[in-house]
């Protein structure tokens, strides 16, 4: 009897587990802003942190070239073939669609048969430098989630700088330097991202890895976002909770992956040799067939949707917030200062909803589980796996190397204050890393008064545990 009952429960558990495998229960995606719960007043919404999906951001950008007349074709000119620099009978003519190479061809959808590309004028004014600035603007703060990839149809440039702006192009800072000789071009020792670590992930490097000239299959330049994520989430980005914890508690790291504009500074075309061949200057130019920038609108974890209307990106704000980035509370919802949402605790995060001036917290007596999935910017990538029972808010934030709190961003909750960026000093009624837990939770608030004072609880137990409990009840009472 015992054996048959055990085998029945085991078989049912295996069946449920196999059915639920495609739907991981403990991944924090932050793409669901609320879930229904029961309170003494009935069903209400329990709010959580949320963010828009990652997407191809080149669909929403504006491109500007400097100098503005640097695109080839006006007047028409001939240039040398990509694969054979001494076959110089190709034409660029802006007045003929088949021979024109305007800037928008850097972002068009193409199967590469034939490829389309933007192309600069040739280096006909040598020795004057052939330099081009390509500025990509979104008029919106965005967060990068995947590698920036630039595909050249010409040889990759001998010297290039990728720059970023956080203030809509008013000021710029370098992201990465590229050169065939870093020491000669920028007075920097060459490095690759593999030479970095968690402690040096924000270092600006010069790499020689992507600066060869006319070579087959050597057309792509990367700015490696994923490799930097991997310092915190592991080589296959399986532990995204750790990365999210770092982003939540380290403002400089979060800002590193945040931009309003990108600028590609092309400083010297692919020469392929030490000296420029002054007799064949039509060999030297820039041509770009594709630029990929994946990211999401920055909505401060207060929106799941970012709309594009009238050539403008705007967050559809939740949590009683408003503004292009959901950066302030709505009118009449300023009962406490605005704060960004938080990735912690994993998996649902903390919404930090703007409260009405006289809104009191609801009284909870039952919480229904929420199912969500953690986002990886490349859908073909191996899905991350995270055992929630092994991750605490302290562990995911990696507090030995990261700030726990920040007075500027008001991470400490319920009136807590940040002490030296390493811990929150909590009021007497609250505890926890971020003062997120009422002390009566630990003491066991059995009285109605304690229940009334209790704010919304954290994440519900994993759904599989609830299913297991149901199976045990279905198996009947134990035999004595």
């Amino acid at each position: 009897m015992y054996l048959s009952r055990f085998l029945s429960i085991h078989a049912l558990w295996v069946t449920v587990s196999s059915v639920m495998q495609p739907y991981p229960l403990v991944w924090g995606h932050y793409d669901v802003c609320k879930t229904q719960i029961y309170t003494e007043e009935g069903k209400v919404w329990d709010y959580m942190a949320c963010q828009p999906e990652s997407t191809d951001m080149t669909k929403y950008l504006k491109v500007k070239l400097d100098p503005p007349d640097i695109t080839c074709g006006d007047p028409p000119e001939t240039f040398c073939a990509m694969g054979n620099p001494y076959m110089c009978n190709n034409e660029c003519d802006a007045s003929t669609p088949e021979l024109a190479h305007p800037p928008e061809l850097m972002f068009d959808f193409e199967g590469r048969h034939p490829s389309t590309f933007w192309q600069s004028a040739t280096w006909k004014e040598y020795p004057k430098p052939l330099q081009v600035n390509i500025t990509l603007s979104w008029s919106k703060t965005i967060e990068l989630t995947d590698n920036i990839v630039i595909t050249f149809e010409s040889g990759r440039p001998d010297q290039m700088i990728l720059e970023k702006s956080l203030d809509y192009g008013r000021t710029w800072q370098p992201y990465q330097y590229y050169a065939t000789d870093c020491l000669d071009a920028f007075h920097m020792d060459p490095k690759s991202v593999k030479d970095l670590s968690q402690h040096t992930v924000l270092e600006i490097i010069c790499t020689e890895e992507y600066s060869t000239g006319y070579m087959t299959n050597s057309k792509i330049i990367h700015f490696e976002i994923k490799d930097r994520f991997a310092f915190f989430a592991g080589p296959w980005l399986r532990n995204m909770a750790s990365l999210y914890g770092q982003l939540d508690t380290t403002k400089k790291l979060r800002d590193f992956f945040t931009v309003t504009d990108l600028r590609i500074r092309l400083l010297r075309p692919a020469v392929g040799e030490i000296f420029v061949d002054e007799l064949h200057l039509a060999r030297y130019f820039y041509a770009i067939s594709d630029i990929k920038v994946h990211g999401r609108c920055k909505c401060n974890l207060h929106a799941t949707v970012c709309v594009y209307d009238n050539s403008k990106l705007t967050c559809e704000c939740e949590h009683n917030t408003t503004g292009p980035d959901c950066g302030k509370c709505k009118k009449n919802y300023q009962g406490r200062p605005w704060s960004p949402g938080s990735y912690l605790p994993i998996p649902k995060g903390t919404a930090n909803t703007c409260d009405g001036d006289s809104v009191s917290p609801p009284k909870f007596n039952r919480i229904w589980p929420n199912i969500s999935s953690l986002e990886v910017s490349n859908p073909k990538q191996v899905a991350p796996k995270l055992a929630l029972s092994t991750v605490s808010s302290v562990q995911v934030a990696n507090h030995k190397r990261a700030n726990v709190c920040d007075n500027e961003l008001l991470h400490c909750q319920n009136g807590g204050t940040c002490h030296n960026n390493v811990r929150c000093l909590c009021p007497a009624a609250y505890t926890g890393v971020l003062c997120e837990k009422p002390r009566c939770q630990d003491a066991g608030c059995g009285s109605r008064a304690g229940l009334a004072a209790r704010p919304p609880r954290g994440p519900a137990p994993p759904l599989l545990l609830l299913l297991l409990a149901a199976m045990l009840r279905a198996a009947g009472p134990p035999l004595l």
Side-chain angles (χ1 to χ4, degrees):
M1 177 90 56
Y2 284 114
L3 180 60
S4 62
R5 182 165 296 175
F6 172 78
L7 292 176
S8 298
I9 294 175
H10 180 264
L12 182 57
W13 173 256
V14 171
T15 301
V16 172
S17 299
S18 63
V19 170
M20 297 300 294
Q21 262 187 343
Y23 309 99
L25 305 179
V26 292
W27 301 347
H29 189 15
Y30 312 101
D31 64 346
V32 179
C33 285
K34 57 188 178 180
T35 185
Q36 276 195 323
I37 61 174
Y38 280 101
T39 72
E40 291 181 353
E41 285 80 23
K43 286 183 180 181
V44 297
W45 289 108
D46 178 28
Y47 292 91
M48 62 201 73
C50 51
Q51 64 186 0
E53 291 283 354
S54 174
T55 187
D56 179 4
M57 298 303 296
T58 59
K59 295 181 289 186
Y60 311 111
L61 62 77
K62 294 179 181 178
V63 59
K64 183 180 77 172
L65 271 62
D66 183 28
D69 60 349
I70 194 63
T71 300
C72 70
D74 187 16
E77 62 179 312
T78 58
F79 61 94
C80 302
M82 310 297 179
N84 185 348
Y86 295 99
M87 184 180 293
C88 301
N89 56 0
N90 294 282
E91 284 188 79
C92 181
D93 186 349
S95 63
T96 306
E98 294 80 9
L99 302 176
H101 298 283
E104 54 266 28
L105 296 184
M106 288 187 274
F107 313 103
D108 64 321
F109 178 79
E110 59 183 29
R112 300 193 59 81
H113 295 293
S115 62
T116 56
F117 52 92
W118 162 80
Q119 183 174 312
S120 75
T122 61
W123 205 355
K124 53 194 172 186
E125 297 184 17
Y126 179 84
K128 179 182 177 181
L130 180 60
Q131 297 182 349
V132 184
N133 287 344
I134 303 171
T135 303
L136 316 179
S137 302
W138 285 271
S139 300
K140 173 77 179 75
T141 310
I142 66 170
E143 297 169 328
L144 302 175
T145 58
D146 205 341
N147 293 353
I148 297 171
V149 183
I150 306 170
T151 303
F152 283 83
E153 198 63 23
S154 62
R156 295 182 292 194
D158 282 354
Q159 296 176 17
M160 179 188 121
I161 308 174
L162 179 65
E163 297 178 324
K164 61 170 285 189
S165 176
L166 265 172
D167 55 10
Y168 305 98
R170 287 187 289 272
T171 61
W172 296 90
Q173 53 190 293
Y175 240 163
Q176 191 152 297
Y177 296 87
Y178 301 81
T180 53
D181 188 331
C182 286
L183 198 58
D184 178 67
F186 302 115
H187 309 291
M188 300 173 67
D189 291 325
K191 284 188 178 181
S192 71
V193 174
K194 299 179 182 65
D195 298 319
L196 302 178
S197 67
Q198 281 192 15
H199 301 288
T200 61
V201 67
L202 304 184
E203 180 182 346
I204 308 303
I205 65 172
C206 178
T207 179
E208 297 176 356
E209 187 175 355
Y210 302 109
S211 300
T212 53
Y214 291 100
M215 294 180 63
T216 305
N217 300 322
S218 296
K219 296 183 176 183
I220 295 177
I221 283 180
H222 284 262
F223 178 72
E224 301 93 339
I225 297 289
K226 284 186 182 176
D227 286 348
R228 289 171 169 85
F229 285 167
F231 290 126
F232 306 100
W236 295 101
L237 303 187
R238 295 176 186 272
N239 189 6
M240 291 294 283
S242 177
L243 172 63
Y244 280 171
Q246 290 284 0
L247 292 172
D248 200 89
T249 56
T250 311
K251 185 176 184 297
K252 287 184 178 180
L253 182 66
R254 188 167 63 253
D255 286 349
F256 184 81
F257 300 109
T258 304
V259 303
T260 59
D261 306 77
L262 290 169
R263 185 162 69 183
I264 303 165
R265 294 184 58 196
L266 304 172
L267 303 180
R268 181 179 171 89
V271 174
E273 299 171 352
I274 299 177
F275 301 104
V276 172
D277 183 355
E278 297 184 38
L279 298 178
H280 298 87
L281 293 177
R283 293 173 53 187
Y284 310 124
F285 54 90
Y286 306 106
I288 296 177
S289 65
D290 194 41
I291 297 177
K292 292 295 183 190
V293 182
H294 270 81
R296 62 169 62 90
C297 292
K298 179 181 179 180
C299 301
N300 286 295
L301 297 186
H302 286 312
T304 57
V305 176
C306 191
V307 295
Y308 188 66
D309 189 29
N310 293 325
S311 301
K312 187 176 181 181
L313 284 167
T314 307
C315 302
E316 285 197 346
C317 301
E318 304 278 353
H319 307 156
N320 301 322
T321 62
T322 187
D325 300 343
C326 308
K328 60 183 180 179
C329 292
K330 288 182 177 178
K331 186 178 179 181
N332 300 326
Y333 286 93
Q334 298 169 351
R336 63 176 180 178
W338 175 90
S339 178
S342 171
Y343 288 112
L344 301 177
I346 303 293
K348 296 197 327 181
T350 306
N352 291 330
T353 304
C354 288
D355 291 337
D357 294 337
S358 60
V359 174
S360 59
K363 310 174 186 68
F364 295 92
N365 56 19
R366 187 177 180 187
I367 298 182
W368 289 78
N370 173 67
I371 299 176
S372 59
S373 61
L374 183 141
E375 189 268 339
V376 177
S377 54
N378 182 353
K380 297 181 181 178
Q381 184 174 298
V382 178
K385 296 179 180 178
L386 169 65
L388 190 61
S389 60
T390 64
V391 178
S392 68
S393 59
V394 177
Q395 289 170 324
V396 297
N398 197 0
H399 296 309
K400 291 184 179 180
R401 290 183 293 273
N403 293 339
V404 174
C405 56
D406 187 336
N407 276 325
E408 177 187 349
L409 296 177
L410 302 172
H411 278 146
C412 299
Q413 301 172 30
N414 299 305
T417 57
C418 183
H419 179 66
N420 293 334
N421 296 112
V422 296
R423 67 189 181 97
C424 291
L425 300 178
C426 303
Y430 293 91
T431 185
V433 176
L434 301 175
C435 307
E436 75 276 13
K437 293 169 32 181
R439 289 189 184 277
C440 64
Q441 283 187 350
D442 297 333
C445 306
S447 67
R448 176 168 293 274
L451 186 63
R454 187 186 307 173
R457 289 179 179 171
L463 184 57
L464 287 181
L465 295 181
L466 299 177
L467 292 173
L468 180 58
M471 288 187 287
L472 292 174
R473 286 197 297 271
L479 296 175
L480 300 177

